[in-house]
Amino acid sequence: MPKAAQPDLADAVAAEMPATYEAALSELETLVGQLESGQMPLDHLLTGYQRGAVLLAFCRDKLKAVEDQIQVLDGGQLKPWSGA
């Protein structure tokens, strides 16, 4: 019976993706704080960890897309960041 619940858990974790990178990062930071607190029940820890993995992949994909766009704008080469 627990194996039948696994696909539903995965669907729930990935069901709603954040609208923006910033929203995903904010949710991820909140989730990490909750996970590190040690106050979550085991089943919530698993769900939280899985949701965190989804959010992390979302953020990495967004950053990669921006990096690829910058590379195109810079003529195929990434230049060092000189910002403050």
Side-chain angles (χ1 to χ4, degrees):
M1 193 88 156
K3 288 188 179 186
Q6 291 296 338
D8 294 335
L9 179 62
D11 291 343
V13 168
E16 286 196 32
M17 293 305 298
T20 65
Y21 171 84
E22 291 78 10
L25 188 59
S26 176
E27 183 182 344
L28 187 57
E29 289 172 344
T30 301
L31 186 58
V32 168
Q34 292 172 346
L35 291 169
E36 289 179 342
S37 74
Q39 301 300 314
M40 293 177 76
L42 184 59
D43 59 335
H44 288 106
L45 284 172
L46 178 59
T47 303
Y49 179 83
Q50 290 175 331
R51 177 66 179 169
V54 168
L55 292 169
L56 182 58
F58 177 87
C59 289
R60 284 182 175 163
D61 289 346
K62 290 291 186 184
L63 288 174
K64 178 68 174 144
V66 170
E67 184 179 273
D68 291 346
Q69 289 174 353
I70 291 170
Q71 196 167 11
V72 167
L73 293 173
D74 285 341
Q77 293 192 358
L78 286 175
K79 298 176 182 174
W81 175 253
S82 60

